Amino acid sequence: MRDPKQKAARAHKPRRYHLLDKLRMRYRWRWLLWLALSAYFFLLALPSPRRSSSEPGPRPGVRIYAYDLPPRFNRAWVDADARCARHLFAAEVAVHEALLLRQRRAGLRAEEADLFLVPVYVSCNFSTPTGLPSLAHARGMLAEAVDLVRAEMPYWNRSEGADHVFVASHDFGACFHPMEDVAIAAGIPEFLKRSILLQTFGVQGQHTCQEVEHVVIPPHVPPEVARELPEPEKARRDIFAFFRGKMEVHPKNITGHFYSKKVRTELLQLYGRNRKFYLKRKQYDGYRSEMARSLFCLCPLGWAPWSPRLVESVLLGCIPVIIADNISLPFPDVLRWPDISLQVAERDVASLEAVLDHVAATNLTTIQRNLWDPVKRRALVFNRPMEEGDATWQVLKELEAKLDRLPQQGRKR
């Protein structure tokens, strides 16, 4: 007769194996979980891949509606003089045309918009003896446009113009005068002070001509400039330091103002006979080919701190040497100006050669590598239609960031 204890042991044996299998499975899953977590945290510890410089980020979502104003406010000026769409103040034309194309493609209606562009071309009156645009009519022309918008559309009145955008691409923005003291005395028109201005003028700190919500934009340079000369990294650079432009021997203007705060006169006096400096006072249509041959391009202030040379230098791969105290530069998050340019204080012009020599001997190649990034060139050009990452794209990103600070009344977001 079999021992009952042995029978009971045999009966429980399969159960023993069943428990062992469960334990094995449990430890196996724990091991797999430990392995997965280890791999996860290891990957987290690795440096995250940087966004490619060719990727400008998410597409701007801000919706801007351009008013359809009578042609006398915009298109008639371009039809009358082709310079209107190409000169240094032509951002007012380029932004309008790019946003209008975007609006039509999206089928955007006014009631769906976050912001409203009031497209008025105030810098297309070339009737002055010098051929430079006259701004004498700017305030009256803009006031007429605002009266029209206020009377015929409901959107201005609901926010008192706070969600309306104007382009003021002139020496001192919406102060509408090339002489700083006169511009400050005139100030920004009262009816614009609640709106958003896109303006080339900008300085660090307070200034009467920027006491308004604003975005600093680059001056207009025709887009083909970036394509008409060899790529920057392939150019032969046999000019050390370049400047061509107005340099007065006697800087005091007939109005009693000192042009460029005497900076350009000092440049001429100090470096006019220095073989390392290629300084020319006469106009020359092919000056951009000279910039493309240069290591450093001097960008001193004129009447205003900004200059189209800033854009031209970057497009042509010449390191901008900015001599304009307290200037605010466009799109700093994208351009990273300290990485692609030099800034020399107006009082330090006498030390300019030493500064450039030092840079040439130390970190020239680093600055050039940063400067020659295609993203930098793209961000300074107003294309029509707008292209990903270009100047209008950057304007939209800047405006999108301002939406949360605007009055909520009437907003559709």
Side-chain angles (χ1 to χ4, degrees):
M1 186 174 179
R2 295 180 180 176
D3 187 348
K5 290 182 179 180
Q6 291 179 354
K7 185 177 180 181
R10 283 196 299 270
H12 286 288
K13 196 171 185 179
R15 186 177 177 185
R16 177 170 168 251
Y17 288 141
H18 183 61
L19 289 172
L20 286 172
D21 288 343
K22 280 189 173 182
L23 288 171
R24 288 193 189 100
M25 290 296 293
R26 183 179 299 172
Y27 283 117
R28 185 179 300 163
W29 281 112
R30 285 183 178 178
W31 181 81
L32 289 172
L33 179 61
W34 174 84
L35 186 64
L37 288 173
S38 298
Y40 171 73
F41 287 113
F42 173 75
L43 291 172
L44 279 183
L46 289 175
S48 58
R50 295 181 64 182
R51 179 182 292 274
S52 166
S53 61
S54 61
E55 299 175 27
R59 182 173 293 275
V62 62
R63 297 166 293 191
I64 303 183
Y65 182 84
Y67 284 123
D68 184 16
L69 297 180
R72 69 179 184 275
F73 291 104
N74 39 63
R75 291 306 313 170
W77 292 96
V78 178
D79 294 340
D81 194 324
R83 288 178 295 173
C84 180
R86 295 184 59 80
H87 70 136
L88 77 164
F89 297 154
E92 59 188 9
V93 180
V95 169
H96 177 212
E97 291 182 350
L99 293 184
L100 194 58
L101 285 169
R102 180 176 185 257
Q103 172 181 317
R104 288 170 178 168
R105 288 177 175 177
L108 181 68
R109 296 176 297 175
E111 59 268 24
E112 300 170 329
D114 303 304
L115 299 171
F116 301 86
L117 177 70
V118 185
V120 182
Y121 303 169
V122 302
S123 58
C124 289
N125 183 350
F126 296 96
S127 61
T128 61
T130 61
L132 296 173
S134 168
L135 298 175
H137 65 301
R139 293 171 186 268
M141 192 173 170
L142 282 163
E144 185 184 353
V146 169
D147 287 343
L148 186 64
V149 166
R150 183 186 283 125
E152 297 189 0
M153 302 290 279
Y155 308 109
W156 180 282
N157 295 326
R158 73 182 184 187
S159 68
E160 297 181 0
D163 52 3
H164 283 58
V165 179
F166 296 81
V167 182
S169 52
H170 322 103
D171 294 82
F172 291 96
C175 286
F176 300 120
H177 201 280
M179 305 293 181
E180 186 171 15
D181 57 342
V182 180
I184 289 173
I188 297 171
E190 203 63 38
F191 59 84
L192 291 181
K193 287 187 175 179
R194 285 183 55 83
S195 299
I196 303 172
L197 301 185
L198 310 180
Q199 56 185 56
T200 43
F201 171 71
V203 291
Q204 304 291 333
Q206 294 185 334
H207 194 286
T208 300
C209 298
Q210 63 180 19
E211 290 179 349
V212 62
E213 194 71 47
H214 67 280
V215 174
V216 177
I217 63 173
H220 182 269
V221 171
E224 59 268 23
V225 169
R227 302 186 293 267
E228 65 187 12
L229 291 165
E231 295 178 4
E233 58 271 21
K234 297 178 181 178
R236 176 174 173 268
R237 301 190 181 274
D238 57 345
I239 298 174
F240 183 73
F242 170 82
F243 179 81
R244 183 182 287 275
K246 186 176 181 181
M247 290 183 288
E248 300 290 359
V249 176
H250 304 289
K252 195 169 186 178
N253 188 271
I254 58 173
T255 62
H257 298 81
F258 285 98
Y259 183 66
S260 188
K261 298 181 181 178
K262 303 183 184 179
V263 167
R264 296 193 188 187
T265 298
E266 190 174 358
L267 284 171
L268 181 62
Q269 292 171 346
L270 290 170
Y271 305 110
R273 296 186 179 183
N274 187 322
R275 290 178 178 273
K276 293 164 66 177
F277 285 76
Y278 190 88
L279 307 182
K280 302 295 179 181
R281 298 174 62 198
K282 292 183 178 179
Q283 291 185 352
Y284 169 51
D285 291 342
Y287 72 94
R288 289 179 183 137
S289 65
E290 297 172 327
M291 297 181 82
R293 293 167 46 201
S294 304
L295 286 177
F296 300 103
C297 287
L298 308 186
C299 303
L301 73 162
W303 289 120
W306 63 270
S307 161
R309 292 177 184 83
L310 286 169
V311 175
E312 293 168 326
S313 298
V314 175
L315 296 184
L316 299 171
C318 179
I319 297 173
V321 181
I322 303 165
I323 311 173
D325 292 354
N326 302 317
I327 186 173
S328 284
L329 297 164
F331 316 139
D333 292 341
V334 177
L335 274 298
R336 301 186 183 277
W337 289 97
D339 295 341
I340 67 170
S341 66
L342 304 176
Q343 286 196 254
V344 176
E346 295 165 18
R347 67 176 182 273
D348 293 335
V349 168
S351 304
L352 179 60
E353 183 178 6
V355 170
L356 300 186
D357 283 339
H358 175 75
V359 171
T362 55
N363 59 337
L364 176 67
T365 55
T366 300
I367 298 174
Q368 287 179 325
R369 185 169 57 250
N370 295 331
L371 177 65
W372 295 345
D373 180 355
V375 167
K376 306 297 192 295
R377 298 200 294 276
R378 191 181 310 138
L380 289 172
V381 174
F382 292 97
N383 293 297
R384 290 167 263 185
M386 180 181 78
E387 296 180 9
E388 185 174 357
D390 75 359
T392 307
W393 175 288
Q394 304 302 337
V395 166
L396 291 180
K397 297 295 288 185
E398 297 270 356
L399 291 175
E400 190 169 45
K402 293 182 179 293
L403 285 180
D404 291 339
R405 300 201 294 272
L406 297 179
Q408 294 297 312
Q409 184 178 3
R411 290 269 304 280
K412 294 290 183 180
R413 290 185 75 79

